[in-house]
Amino acid sequence: MRRRGWFSDRPRVLPSPLIENFLTMPASPAKPGGPLLTADGMPLKTSLERSLKLSKIRALGLIFPPLLFLVILFVIPIGSLLTRSVDDGLSNKVLPKTLAAFERWDKTSEPDESMFEAVYLDMQAADTLDLSKLGTRMNYEKSGWRSLVKITMRGLNRIDGPPYKPAMLQLNKRWGDIEFWQSLGAMKDPVTLGYYLKAVDLKYDGNKNIMRVKKHNRIYQMLWWRTFLVSIIVTVGCLILAYPVAHLLANLPLRLSNLLMICVLMPFWTSLLVRIVSWMVMLQQNGVVNDSLVSLGMLHDENRLSMMYNFTGTVIVMTQILLPFMILPIYSVMKTIPPSYMKAAQNLGATPALAFIKVYMPQTIPGVGAGCILVFIVAIGYYITPELVGGKDGRLIGNLIAHHMQNSLNWGLASAMGAILLIAILTLYWVYDKLVGVDNMKMG
Amino acid sequence: MNGNDSLVRFVNIQKSYDGETLVIKNLNLNVETNEFLTILGPSGSGKTTCLLMLAGFEPATHGEIYLKNQPINRVPPHKRGIGMVFQNYALFPHMTVAENLAFPLDVRGMSKSEKTQRVKRALDMVQLGGYGNRQPAQLSGGQQQRVAVARSLIFDPDLVLMDEPLGALDKNLREQMQYEIKSIHQNLGITVVYVTHDQSIALTLSDRIAVFDDGIIQQCAAPDVLYEQPDNAFVANFIGENNQLFGTVVEDIGDTVKVDVNDGHIVEAKKVKVEGIGSRSTLSLRPERVIVDPEPHSLPNVFLAKTKQLIYLGDHIRTRFSICGTDDFIVKIPNSAVHAAISEGDEVNIGWKAEDCRALDVWPCPTSHL
Ligand SMILES: Nc1ncnc2c1ncn2[C@@H]1O[C@H](COP(=O)(O)OP(=O)(O)O)[C@@H](O)[C@H]1O
Ligand SMILES: [Mg+2]
């Protein structure tokens, strides 16, 4: 029987660090008649600072190497990532006259000779490498730009003097298409949010209004949702599996718990690829799981479960791979909870189950929080597993980032997506801090 | 054993954790209603084990425990209704003081108004009126201690167990808290089983003390009886200060025996626990019962002693003599005009009555536990 009042007053989360700081803040003593002086008449503050100076310098010296390491490996890459994701300076560098002419244009009428002249002069002056890079960049805004730029580049020396408009129209008639000209508007500023828009299936039109991309081109929003969903499912799955294991680890006799710990850590010592491949052996159509189910008669041969190269496969394998990240922080918190709390709760009249829920579980929140955040963060950017076992509907945003880094070479978009991931993670961290308090998080 | 109106009865309890050694060898103990009973013993003697068995957290390997005449071996802890103060308080760190106190009431489904009222009363009882909203970590050790006591009492248990609750406090606080616990016990009329290894706490608080060692009760009696009339050498040694002389029984004269203390001195002592003529015996004598420079022939035991050391302690002078083959014979000489000043190296007569000197058994290794 569930009695009234058991769940009505949930144990509150641990005190916010703010309150704690407030309570432990030393009261500053009143200072009658000016600053305190040391025996030799120097103000106490100066004297104190001087005495601490040397140790401060020493401390700085000690933290310098890790600081340098952090700057080189963390601050600089992230900084360059953020820069790249908004950088659109190439068009301004290569096409200054064109963009100036674009500004003067009313955006609706037929482009006149002055605009063609500007394009011709810019392309004449431009470095070929820059120009072909720019062609790729312009192609993001309107497909067709790359080939147009290429064709024009090749035909440029066949044009001998003004008027340029007919000559260029002759090179390629797309120069007469006003939509190409209008798409210049999206890249006229040296800084752009275009990559971020693209990463969520939006884009600029010629007047820098934000609009959705065409229906059949929308892929990113769906991928973001899928990534989010997979991360949530994997996190919850890990939590459900890890909690009992961590509890066992923390409470078994030493010999057994050591053995169990080795089992938990074993995956860490095995190559990721080996683990994924063994899951493939397990889960594929003719894999161990399906074969066993069929031979046990629980499944018909013709409707074998498809658990590989899809969403299910991604979730199953990621859960197994990320499990230790959940177990270890929870275990390390459980290890510090003395058994006397459970005893006290039972002594006060709570059944073992109730004691567990009301007294034990709230105390494991720091570990649960740390584990969930850790798993979620790793999961949201995961890419190897979905790449190998995800198939078409198990691909995540991480795979798209890799694709844009390696294949399409759209680094701006890859950076923007990376930055969005980073922002999502920081937001999550902030929310966690508000709810539980990061101070209470125990990584292990 | 006719302990039928006792609140708790341990009957032939044995306990082993590993199946090889008995931590509790044979425990028979009654706890009377409204009594303050202390289990006193050196650390590792099995005191906590006794409490855990009574609270239901450890099963007895053999024997039966009765609570109000009901056997409780198979009753789970949460149904026993016994309050307990744990060694390190076990206040739930994620709840405020008030929530901690309300926990046993919540579990019992008590109405909100009654709960608030009881929590308030409990806080007032331990003088922590304004502290309900604090977290346990924000309280001092003594305050946590009080909350733990209040929590163990708030659901009106008949019996409260306390496992070294004052062990973590400093000396002043410990003394203050022990009086508070005593007055709570008297005011509420509850039964308390208290575990400690500190004899001064035991002597101050208890109605009865069970001296525990080596898995058995060595003696269970009121504090004064325990001090004045220890049954065996362990108790004599464990409770209060005590001079020991070792010797062989040479003559048995009814109430008293004569014991030959190593170097040929014959001491007459009260016969308490000796095997008979020829057996070894420990003579136990409290330092304050020794008379310095007694009237000639007024006492059966008078010996010449050499003064080894004097320590001035204000109200008395603690003097160490060399006598009857021992160098460690302590006498407390009151700081009064009656006593002539003695100084180190002096030889003086000291003596004592036969009934103040108790002839006890030989305790295997008298110093291992100290
Ligand atoms: N859970 C346990 N498992 C095994 N041995 C234990 C356990 N608890 C206590 N002991 C052993 O039992 C003996 C008595 O312990 P305990 O009851 O805690 O003594 P005390 O409270 O008097 O100090 C000790 O020797 C201790 O090592
Ligand atoms: Mg103990």
Side-chain angles (χ1 to χ4, degrees), chain A residues 343, chain B residues 16-18 23-24 41-52 58 87 163-164 195 197 212:
Chain A
K343 283 192 184 140
Chain B
S16 169
Y17 282 105
D18 51 9
V23 174
I24 310 286
S43 130
S45 58
K47 310 180 296 289
T48 299
T49 306
C50 287
L51 279 202
L52 291 180
E58 286 292 345
Q87 204 154 3
D163 188 0
E164 312 230 12
V195 156
H197 66 270
F212 211 75

Side-chain angles (χ1 to χ4, degrees), chain A residues 160-182:
Chain A
D160 37 31
Y164 300 103
K165 184 168 173 179
M168 284 179 70
L169 278 174
Q170 203 192 342
L171 269 182
N172 194 304
K173 63 175 184 333
R174 271 179 279 178
W175 279 116
D177 187 345
I178 199 164
E179 278 187 28
F180 281 89
W181 290 97
Q182 282 170 340

Side-chain angles (χ1 to χ4, degrees), chain B residues 298-319:
Chain B
S298 62
L299 296 169
N301 302 306
V302 176
F303 301 98
L304 194 62
K306 191 166 161 110
T307 316
K308 290 293 222 186
Q309 191 186 32
L310 295 164
I311 298 174
Y312 183 78
L313 288 171
D315 60 337
H316 71 268
I317 296 157
R318 193 183 152 86
T319 314

